[in-house]
Amino acid sequence: MNPFPKTAILSGANCLTDLRRFISESSYSSIVVLVDENTQEFCYPLLKLPRYHHLLKVNSGEENKNLANCLEVWKNLSELECDRKTLLINLGGGVLCDMGGFIASTYLRGIDFLNIPTTLLAMCDAGIGGKTGVNFNGLKNQIGVFNDPISIFINVDFLETLPEKQFLSGYAEIIKHALIADKVMFKSISKQDDIKKGIIKQVLHSHKIKLKIVASDAFEKGVRKSLNFGHSIGHALESLFLVNDPQNAIFHGEAVAAGMITEAIISFNRQLLSAGELEMIINVISNWFPKLKISPVDISDIIDYISNDKKNEYNRKLFTLLDGIGHYSINNDVTDDEISQSLEHYLSL
Ligand SMILES: NC(=O)c1ccc[n+]([C@@H]2O[C@H](COP(=O)([O-])OP(=O)(O)OC[C@H]3O[C@@H](n4cnc5c(N)ncnc54)[C@H](O)[C@@H]3O)[C@@H](O)[C@H]2O)c1
């Protein structure tokens, strides 16, 4: 019997030992580890896999989460004669987990893959939930499939080499999980003066929140949409910076932080949040995330990006808003004027 049903999450001190046991006991015909240059240097040496495996490398960065890299990896898998019994191990952040998951889900109509998230964001969010894919035509995650990894191994020791800004980027998703699902956690985040204090507990709690949500709605028909809070405007901001200035693209978490503030402003304007709650949300997020450099002329581009959002239905821009801290409201049909007002409010902060 497979002791690691789809999807098991293994975390904690013995996580890499569990991984090695899993590899030793498995009967895969070949094992391929997908890394980028940073995870190759900092994380791969800790794996010490007990079996022969191939190592494939892609360049790091959001700009490399694309079909060109998928083609390269599919070609390599094919040249290595990897068959359907191959296991792909994604060792990296959200970019690598998303792209590697998509590569595995489509190669030979699908091979097993597992995620070993190495960033805070991937541990709490991107590595869990089965959304795989790549950016296309200037749009985030435009091509992809839902498919779960067979296992996720969460080893917080990897965070030791993660650059500060990347750490912060992942923290945005921890704040999001608290805002949509856990008022007590948000209160404790609001008192936090050192972002790394108690991070192990927060990672475990945060990924449990996400896991509970995706377990009850894998294909985002209902409650899973709560996870989109901050992401309608956030993704548009990410696309704006990616297209306008690819060398200085902002981090996903930075975009989501601004997205959460602007979407909280819309929630407040709809009287779903009180003035005190909005103020608290703005203060907590602004404490960690500096304001993004956008100008009033960008607003129409941002709205255009939102018009192409996968979350839209029948040309309606459907947002997840907050209905008090720790509660959410999904499928809110938000107008361009409301988006524009929220961005103007953000610019005035
Ligand atoms: N699938 C989902 O549900 C989901 C959810 C949220 C975000 N995402 C996606 O996640 C992506 C962002 O992920 P991310 O923030 O992890 O960024 P990332 O994957 O680009 O990694 C950030 C950087 O850190 C480096 N790195 C990774 N681990 C390291 C370590 N332990 N030590 C040193 N350096 C390390 C990487 O090489 C990279 O340069 C976006 O593409 C976003 O769309 C997906």
Side-chain angles (χ1 to χ4, degrees):
M1 196 181 82
N2 178 6
F4 300 92
K6 195 168 180 171
T7 295
I9 301 204
L10 302 169
S11 55
N14 295 325
C15 169
L16 293 183
T17 311
D18 290 338
L19 169 73
R20 288 177 205 120
R21 182 166 67 87
F22 170 69
I23 297 293
S24 303
E25 290 173 5
S26 72
S27 55
Y28 288 107
S29 57
S30 53
I31 293 174
V32 179
V33 182
L34 188 64
V35 291
D36 64 31
E37 70 281 7
N38 297 314
T39 62
Q40 179 176 24
E41 180 179 352
F42 299 116
C43 309
Y44 176 68
L46 305 185
L47 285 192
K48 299 188 175 69
L49 290 186
R51 261 190 65 180
Y52 179 78
H53 54 274
H54 306 284
L55 192 65
L56 293 181
K57 187 167 78 176
V58 289
N59 289 332
S60 67
E62 188 66 35
E63 69 280 15
N64 290 308
K65 185 177 155 181
N66 57 28
L67 283 173
N69 271 315
C70 293
L71 288 177
E72 193 59 31
V73 178
W74 284 321
K75 187 165 157 264
N76 284 322
L77 292 173
S78 194
E79 284 170 0
L80 289 168
E81 298 181 0
C82 291
D83 64 14
R84 271 209 177 138
K85 289 286 174 200
T86 299
L87 172 72
L88 182 71
I89 299 179
N90 299 318
L91 180 67
V95 165
L96 219 118
C97 290
D98 278 11
M99 185 159 64
F102 177 63
I103 289 167
S105 303
T106 43
Y107 179 72
L108 297 179
R109 297 202 179 94
I111 57 171
D112 279 357
F113 68 101
L114 57 85
N115 286 343
I116 308 183
T118 60
T119 63
L120 184 58
L121 182 130
M123 289 180 194
C124 298
D125 192 359
I128 315 160
K131 279 190 183 176
T132 74
V134 291
N135 305 330
F136 179 66
N137 212 13
L139 295 168
K140 286 271 303 166
N141 304 325
Q142 191 73 355
I143 309 285
V145 297
F146 281 98
N147 191 21
D148 274 320
I150 51 160
S151 291
I152 302 164
F153 290 84
I154 296 182
N155 174 32
V156 287
D157 291 347
F158 287 136
L159 297 177
E160 279 169 26
T161 55
L162 192 67
E164 290 288 314
K165 271 205 124 188
Q166 296 290 355
F167 193 95
L168 192 59
S169 177
Y171 203 68
E173 302 290 351
I174 291 185
I175 295 176
K176 181 196 76 181
H177 288 157
L179 278 173
I180 59 169
D182 193 334
K183 191 174 180 172
V184 175
M185 185 181 172
F186 186 72
K187 279 230 165 97
S188 93
I189 288 174
S190 73
K191 293 185 192 126
Q192 191 119 0
D193 51 7
D194 174 356
I195 206 166
K196 294 197 171 158
K197 209 159 78 190
I199 195 66
I200 296 179
K201 204 170 144 206
Q202 285 185 356
V203 167
L204 299 182
H205 190 66
S206 194
H207 90 228
K208 266 189 200 138
I209 291 177
K210 170 142 186 191
L211 197 62
K212 191 172 166 205
I213 293 170
V214 298
S216 62
D217 177 22
F219 297 106
E220 202 168 295
K221 302 287 180 217
V223 293
R224 186 169 181 164
K225 293 183 182 180
S226 62
L227 296 167
N228 293 333
F229 173 64
H231 284 64
S232 294
I233 296 180
H235 272 159
L237 291 168
E238 209 172 352
S239 296
L240 180 86
F241 281 81
L242 189 63
V243 170
N244 287 0
D245 191 2
Q247 297 314 313
N248 291 307
I250 52 172
F251 292 103
H252 180 72
E254 292 176 284
V256 169
M260 288 193 288
I261 291 181
T262 43
E263 293 176 24
I265 292 169
I266 298 174
S267 310
F268 166 72
N269 288 341
R270 289 190 171 206
Q271 299 179 339
L272 295 168
L273 281 179
S274 69
E277 287 173 319
L278 177 64
E279 192 186 350
M280 189 175 175
I281 292 169
I282 292 175
N283 287 343
V284 169
I285 296 175
S286 308
N287 189 28
W288 301 112
F289 296 90
K291 202 162 104 179
L292 292 183
K293 292 192 177 76
I294 46 176
S295 72
V297 293
D298 294 323
I299 291 180
S300 65
D301 284 348
I302 295 168
I303 292 175
D304 282 349
Y305 281 117
I306 298 173
S307 303
N308 281 308
D309 195 320
K310 288 180 295 305
K311 299 183 277 298
N312 298 343
E313 287 173 18
Y314 306 105
N315 284 331
R316 293 181 308 152
K317 299 184 178 74
L318 297 182
F319 279 36
T320 295
L321 298 177
L322 290 182
D323 189 2
I325 293 176
H327 302 277
Y328 58 83
S329 157
I330 59 172
N331 293 333
N332 292 283
D333 190 352
V334 169
T335 65
D336 291 355
D337 279 351
E338 285 178 287
I339 298 169
S340 195
Q341 272 171 27
S342 73
L343 287 161
E344 279 158 16
H345 186 150
Y346 177 79
L347 292 175
S348 74
L349 290 174

